[in-house]
Amino acid sequence: MKLAVPKERRPGEARVAASPDSVKKLSALGFEVTVESGAGAGASIPDQAYQDAGAKIAPDAAAAVAGADVVLKVQRPMTASEGADEIAGMKRGALLIGMLAPYAAKDQLKSYADAGLTAFSLELVPRITRAQSMDVLSSQANLAGYRAVLDGAHEFGRAFPMMMTAAGTVPPARVFVMGVGVAGLQAIATAKRLGAVVSANDVRPATKEQVESLGGTFIAVMDDEFKQAQTAGGYAKEMSAEYKQKQAALVAETIKKQDIVICTALIPGRKAPMLVSEEMVKTMKPGSVIVDLAVEQGGNCPLSELGKVVKKHGVTLVGHANVPSRIAVDASALYARNLVSFLTPLVDKETKQLKIDPDDEIVKGSMLTHDGKIVHPNFAG
């Protein structure tokens, strides 16, 4: 079986879908791994490191994917209308596995089906116990939460920890984390390590204990609706207008006192909820910073601008796109491990051939296209 790892071509993408360690594991599964030359450059992995791990190096993408049974990607392939048709070189029947952003790029699903690809979108892997090692959303969000604090600290004109000096005391920075998922929890932990006074909020009641276990103060309107505000899958539910109004009032009072606000709230397949209004921004202290990790889905603050760092009402708004790519070495390593975990059950241990069980919960949850059709229930029809 041939497995291909082409170079990522979307602007600003420094990650790669394989590491030297994952190449060894993929080879052990029975794959002949081919990596496009330069694919790992953005993640500081030279071609030689892949060769030493047992991979072949292809001179270009066409040579890498030619005849491949499996193609591993970080982001979805580019189309001809975007300047380069990455799908054209893939053989019919091949598995395409990556973060294919089906909600944001629904139109592209037809191109996978037309090309005869069996496409798996890793963002859709169900959050069940045996799929934890495949959870790309968590592995990448964890690093994004860490990087968000560093980006906020970089823009902030003061120190994070309290400092007792002969010239006087420097007070600690106050950091408010909005949304306590994987990214939010890592942001809390990172800000605490740097010495900040940290508070956080989320509409899911289960997060209160998590925040407090990391040394943060939990901020929320704790009424009956709050106690029911979580889906079976662990995501936040859409709250009522009345609750949003009460929560916004509490948040508005909290934000006035903060130095740095880290926004991480996302709902899969939906526009990011608006958490920090322009009026709230106006109440913040001059020199404060907002880091909006939700900017690619519309932003938790309407003043954030995708791919830019801007200053409005005396507040710096950080809207970097693709934050995991800003820490590409570790993001690639973790993502590569997620891919190995995903592929391992799809390979028969005895025959070393692909063996996909269409009734498997993980396969059903993540398969977008198969046999020329869009098969995922959220996108078919």
Side-chain angles (χ1 to χ4, degrees):
M1 298 183 292
K2 180 180 176 183
L3 181 146
V5 181
K7 185 176 182 178
E8 295 297 314
R9 285 175 163 74
R10 292 197 173 273
E13 183 54 77
R15 292 172 292 178
V16 61
S19 65
D21 181 61
S22 78
V23 167
K24 292 175 185 176
K25 291 175 180 174
L26 292 167
S27 298
L29 287 174
F31 289 107
E32 178 187 292
V33 182
T34 301
V35 178
E36 182 185 352
S37 180
S44 301
I45 307 172
D47 290 349
Q48 188 62 50
Y50 286 121
Q51 283 184 299
D52 292 345
K56 294 181 180 178
I57 302 298
D60 53 38
V65 304
D69 301 291
V70 178
V71 179
L72 301 184
K73 291 277 295 166
V74 177
Q75 292 204 46
R76 70 185 191 276
M78 292 184 74
T79 62
S81 63
E82 294 174 301
D85 191 347
E86 293 188 79
I87 298 170
M90 300 179 195
K91 77 171 187 180
R92 295 190 73 82
L95 270 59
L96 169 63
I97 305 173
M99 293 187 286
L100 304 182
Y103 290 108
K106 289 180 183 178
D107 295 345
Q108 201 161 332
L109 272 58
K110 186 176 185 301
S111 63
Y112 305 146
D114 291 345
L117 300 175
T118 296
F120 289 95
S121 188
L122 296 180
E123 305 99 310
L124 301 179
V125 169
R127 286 187 154 175
I128 57 177
T129 302
R130 73 185 170 94
Q132 284 182 339
S133 62
M134 311 172 192
D135 189 350
V136 297
L137 292 178
S138 291
S139 74
Q140 303 304 292
N142 185 54
L143 291 169
Y146 164 79
R147 182 70 204 211
V149 175
L150 299 190
D151 287 338
H154 175 73
E155 299 296 338
F156 188 48
R158 286 177 35 213
F160 257 57
M162 175 183 284
M163 295 183 184
M164 309 289 285
T165 78
T169 300
V170 174
R174 303 185 70 87
V175 175
F176 183 40
V177 178
M178 305 191 73
V180 188
V182 174
L185 288 170
Q186 185 56 250
I188 293 166
T190 302
K192 285 296 291 183
R193 287 189 204 108
L194 290 176
V197 174
V198 183
S199 56
N201 80 322
D202 196 290
V203 296
R204 295 166 299 161
T207 59
K208 180 178 185 290
E209 186 178 334
Q210 294 171 321
V211 170
E212 292 172 347
S213 72
L214 291 170
T217 301
F218 191 72
I219 307 291
V221 175
M222 298 186 202
D223 59 10
D224 289 339
E225 184 176 358
F226 173 76
K227 294 172 184 175
Q228 308 295 323
Q230 189 165 324
T231 68
Y235 294 106
K237 283 184 181 177
E238 185 74 20
M239 304 299 280
S240 70
E242 184 184 358
Y243 183 88
K244 285 180 183 176
Q245 192 172 9
K246 288 189 289 185
Q247 181 73 353
L250 177 61
V251 167
E253 278 304 306
T254 303
I255 277 181
K256 288 178 186 177
K257 307 164 190 170
Q258 305 305 312
D259 297 305
I260 296 176
V261 177
I262 311 282
C263 299
T264 74
L266 288 170
I267 301 171
R270 305 274 297 274
K271 188 178 184 296
M274 198 276 283
L275 302 180
V276 184
S277 67
E278 183 169 5
E279 289 306 310
M280 292 181 192
V281 174
K282 289 178 180 178
T283 70
M284 293 179 73
K285 295 179 284 186
S288 300
V289 178
I290 295 173
V291 182
D292 196 341
L293 285 180
V295 69
E296 289 179 285
Q297 284 181 229
N300 293 147
C301 177
L303 301 184
S304 303
E305 295 186 26
L306 178 60
K308 295 180 180 179
V309 176
V310 296
K311 187 169 279 191
K312 298 178 182 179
H313 306 301
V315 175
T316 299
L317 294 109
V318 181
H320 292 305
N322 193 359
V323 174
S325 183
R326 293 171 60 76
I327 189 163
V329 174
D330 289 328
S332 297
L334 295 182
Y335 183 69
R337 288 176 206 159
N338 292 145
L339 285 169
V340 171
S341 296
F342 183 81
L343 266 172
T344 299
L346 303 184
V347 178
D348 188 284
K349 291 180 181 178
E350 294 181 5
T351 65
K352 301 285 187 181
Q353 296 296 313
L354 289 168
K355 187 178 180 181
I356 300 171
D357 178 4
D359 294 322
D360 182 86
E361 187 177 358
I362 294 171
V363 171
K364 285 199 292 188
S366 58
M367 184 187 285
L368 293 174
T369 62
H370 183 63
D371 279 344
K373 298 173 187 168
I374 297 172
V375 296
H376 196 285
N378 288 7
F379 307 100

